[in-house]
Amino acid sequence: LAGISFTSLDRPGFAVAVLALLWTVCLCGFFIQQPNQARVMIFFGKYGGTLTATGFYWVNPFMTAKKVSLRLHNIDVEPIKVNDKVGNPVMIGMVLVWKVKDTYRVIFDLDASSLSAAQGGALSNAALNNFVRIQSDAALREVTSHFAYDPQPEHPDELTLRDGGEAINDLLERKINERLAMAGIEVVEARLNYLAYAPEIAAVMLRRQQASAIITAREKI
């Protein structure tokens, strides 16, 4: 058996087969890096760095490259029912623009089940969207609870949801960023796109607004 084994090693075909195998393995290390894309390199469980430059590269084929998109993402958060500062139920929704800021945190601080094998090791956008949606929902509820929908008679100069405008949007953006920073995600813009009283009190509050407007007009006259 030993003689047969040594004889087979001397054949040129064996060397060709080994070279072909090595060439095939080396070919697995080539990849094209698209603009606004990143690859987090992991070598047998150890973080090996993040590649963000665009171009054609070769890396150690035994490295695992997790692909992360650095492009802007947009989420339209459906209106949710929240109680304002004075306890009135309101329907409020917003639009978010976010992107990945820290690839290390996104890969290693989020649940590993978020990695989709079907996408060739790329981070699932659906998983990131779900995380951003949940955290932004919590931040929206927190911000809404600190402001009344309409000005109150006892505090006529107080900032409200309806008249807050950019001040409310800036506060909302800051609160969401505080929650998403732990996962390496940054909110570029957060803006309210829907604000109304909940259906069960909308008619009553409309009559209240009309009565308040009449009283104000009579006082001015």
Side-chain angles (χ1 to χ4, degrees):
L1 290 177
I4 296 175
S5 178
F6 282 121
T7 302
S8 62
L9 287 175
D10 293 335
R11 294 177 181 176
F14 179 80
V16 172
V18 172
L19 291 176
L21 178 62
L22 291 176
W23 176 250
T24 303
V25 172
C26 290
L27 284 178
C28 296
F30 289 101
F31 64 88
I32 297 175
Q33 181 84 334
Q34 301 289 343
N36 281 329
Q37 295 282 346
R39 276 180 169 82
V40 177
M41 303 299 177
I42 305 172
F43 187 66
F44 293 106
K46 184 178 180 181
Y47 175 64
T50 300
L51 180 64
T52 57
T54 304
F56 184 66
Y57 296 95
W58 182 88
V59 297
N60 188 335
F62 295 102
M63 269 192 168
T64 302
K66 300 295 184 182
K67 189 160 53 176
V68 182
S69 174
L70 303 179
R71 297 169 182 171
L72 295 176
H73 301 266
N74 188 64
I75 295 181
D76 185 6
V77 179
E78 295 294 329
I80 59 175
K81 184 185 294 185
V82 187
N83 290 337
D84 67 0
K85 183 179 180 180
V86 296
N88 294 323
V90 298
M91 300 296 295
I92 188 168
M94 65 178 173
V95 173
L96 283 180
V97 180
W98 63 272
K99 65 179 182 178
V100 172
K101 183 179 180 181
D102 188 338
T103 56
Y104 179 91
R105 283 185 174 275
V106 166
I107 292 296
F108 294 102
D109 289 350
L110 284 181
D111 187 3
S113 62
S114 299
L115 294 178
S116 173
Q119 296 183 2
L123 191 63
S124 170
N125 285 333
L128 288 177
N129 280 334
N130 185 56
F131 179 81
V132 172
R133 192 180 297 274
I134 292 174
Q135 295 301 322
S136 59
D137 183 280
L140 181 59
R141 292 178 184 275
E142 179 185 354
V143 171
T144 305
S145 65
H146 287 89
F147 301 96
Y149 181 93
D150 278 322
Q152 301 301 303
E154 58 273 17
H155 303 289
D157 299 328
E158 192 176 63
L159 191 66
T160 63
L161 293 173
R162 193 175 67 173
D163 302 327
E166 290 300 323
I168 298 294
N169 292 330
D170 291 342
L171 177 60
L172 182 61
E173 182 179 323
R174 188 169 71 250
K175 289 293 184 181
I176 298 176
N177 270 321
E178 289 175 359
R179 293 175 176 271
L180 297 182
M182 59 184 173
I185 300 173
E186 177 187 19
V187 172
V188 179
E189 182 183 22
R191 185 172 297 274
L192 298 181
N193 69 339
Y194 185 89
L195 180 63
Y197 280 113
E200 60 266 26
I201 68 165
V204 175
M205 298 310 292
L206 178 60
R207 291 198 298 269
R208 176 185 172 184
Q209 291 174 359
Q210 292 172 342
S212 178
I214 293 173
I215 293 172
T216 302
R218 287 178 177 177
E219 289 177 350
K220 186 174 182 179
I221 293 173

